[in-house]
Amino acid sequence: MFEDIKPLFDNYPEEKELFVITGPCSAETEDQTLTTARQLAANGIKIFRAGIWKPRTRPGGFEGVGEAGLPWLQRVKEETGMMVSTEVANRNHVIAAVNAGIDLIWIGARTSANPFAMQEIADTLEALGVDIPVLVKNPVNPDIDLWIGALQRIYNAGIRRLGAIHRGFSVYGKHLYRNMPQWHIPIELRLRHPNIPIIHDPSHIGGKRELVAPLSQQALDMGFNGLIIESHCSPDEAWSDASQQLTPEVLNFILNTLVVRRDKQTTENLTLLRQQIDRIDNDLMEILSKRMQVSREIGKYKKEHRMPVVQATRYNDVLRSRVALGKEMGMDADFLKTILLAIHDESVRQQIEIINDRD
Ligand code: PEP
Ligand code: MN
């Protein structure tokens, strides 16, 4: 699979260049689109983005200007010489974008999660027989097979200029990130299919301006192939994703401070695997700390109800069921018991601390 992938563009990036796609989340008006584009082009940007069909989570949001935005993108292309790109989500979008001479299309996270929509887009591309670069965002849910399946449908339709966009994954609740990076997922994609370039989208992962630079640097450190970043001439007034968009000026500053690592190391796979371990250990720490917090809550409950900290039957059940589960996952029973006992001891210690707390 994916043996004969071609570069997204033959003449971009050049040897020492960083691959960057940037522009507003949405094309709102002709003026906003062109003003942003002119500023970006003046800073040397080569590929402009602007969404004109915007799949929104809930009705009532700005759903894009639709086909009316295509002539604006054509003007951007004519006037600035930049290549232009937009998001497509169905057959009509693909036809309209290709007919308008759009240089690259991407498929959004809500669409790549839907195999029927992906197949419809793939079939349309195949029928048109065009050699257009296509990027597939990761689906909203952290399912690598669904992501690879989406890429595969486009590849099977004859598209060879194909890449993936890492835009993070939805989780319930409020977090530092708008969409969790779950770096191990794009890394697994890289390990399974090293030919597919991976473009990082710090805007939709971070959801906040101040996270764009650190996320971008991390992605470059991890060997990603480029960035797609939202930029708007007046970000605070943007009709969609205002808090994560940057002015072209700030974006330019960030791009100039990023350190691009291009040394191809023979130890690349080892580095990737180690990074994966680092991430997983971070996740383990987070999960352990969450478990301890819940344990302390239980401690408070037991204190209020004057219950003893350790209930032997409950503990035996916990141990037995967890060891059985872990064994099913291919782990050793003694190893599991050691870990579970250590966790349990620490929970008990914390609960005793709470019970003895006098205030
Ligand atoms: C976008 O790129 O503006 C967009 C809608 O992104 P996503 O599909 O990642 O939410
Ligand atoms: Mn957006």
Side-chain angles (χ1 to χ4, degrees), residues 81-297:
M82 286 190 290
M83 293 183 277
V84 291
S85 64
T86 199
E87 173 175 339
V88 294
N90 64 31
R91 175 185 152 80
N92 293 342
H93 299 166
V94 174
I95 295 172
V98 166
N99 287 341
I102 298 298
D103 300 285
L104 172 150
I105 52 177
W106 79 84
I107 293 149
R110 291 157 195 77
T111 311
S112 66
N114 177 346
F116 285 132
M118 284 309 304
Q119 195 56 48
E120 177 182 310
I121 292 169
D123 291 344
T124 312
L125 284 164
E126 188 165 23
L128 292 172
V130 278
D131 182 27
I132 188 169
V134 179
L135 298 175
V136 180
K137 287 199 167 197
N138 66 255
V140 278
N141 50 323
D143 183 339
I144 188 164
D145 290 315
L146 196 57
W147 194 6
I148 293 173
L151 287 157
Q152 215 168 337
R153 288 176 201 275
I154 302 295
Y155 182 84
N156 288 346
I159 297 291
R160 291 296 174 267
R161 303 189 189 273
L162 180 62
I165 298 178
H166 171 223
R167 56 76 79 191
F169 303 88
S170 301
V171 280
Y172 181 71
K174 273 214 168 299
H175 298 271
L176 169 65
Y177 300 107
R178 177 177 176 194
N179 291 295
M180 299 309 243
Q182 306 228 39
W183 295 95
H184 58 282
I185 298 177
I187 286 174
E188 186 167 341
L189 174 65
R190 165 62 37 93
L191 292 172
R192 284 207 220 167
H193 299 293
N195 290 349
I196 300 277
I198 308 179
I199 311 301
H200 180 74
D201 177 345
S203 309
H204 290 92
I205 292 181
K208 302 178 196 72
R209 269 162 225 162
E210 56 276 22
L211 291 177
V212 169
L215 282 166
S216 300
Q217 187 60 61
Q218 186 168 350
L220 296 181
D221 292 346
M222 294 173 84
F224 284 56
N225 305 86
L227 301 168
I228 175 164
I229 304 180
E230 289 187 341
S231 176
H232 189 290
C233 55
S234 8
D236 289 334
E237 273 121 64
W239 298 0
S240 60
D241 290 353
S243 57
Q244 70 196 33
Q245 303 207 58
L246 305 162
T247 61
E249 193 189 351
V250 170
L251 174 72
N252 192 41
F253 176 79
I254 292 176
L255 292 178
N256 284 325
T257 54
L258 291 177
V259 181
V260 187
R261 309 186 195 284
R262 54 192 108 246
D263 291 347
K264 267 244 171 263
Q265 297 160 350
T266 46
T267 54
E268 203 177 24
N269 275 1
L270 179 61
T271 312
L272 286 175
L273 289 167
R274 283 189 174 143
Q275 281 166 347
Q276 213 170 337
I277 289 281
D278 292 350
R279 294 283 141 208
I280 291 174
D281 285 352
N282 279 355
D283 291 350
L284 269 178
M285 292 306 117
E286 253 182 47
I287 288 189
L288 268 180
S289 117
K290 258 188 220 150
R291 196 189 189 283
M292 290 304 157
Q293 275 166 26
V294 174
S295 224
R296 291 178 75 87
E297 289 300 317

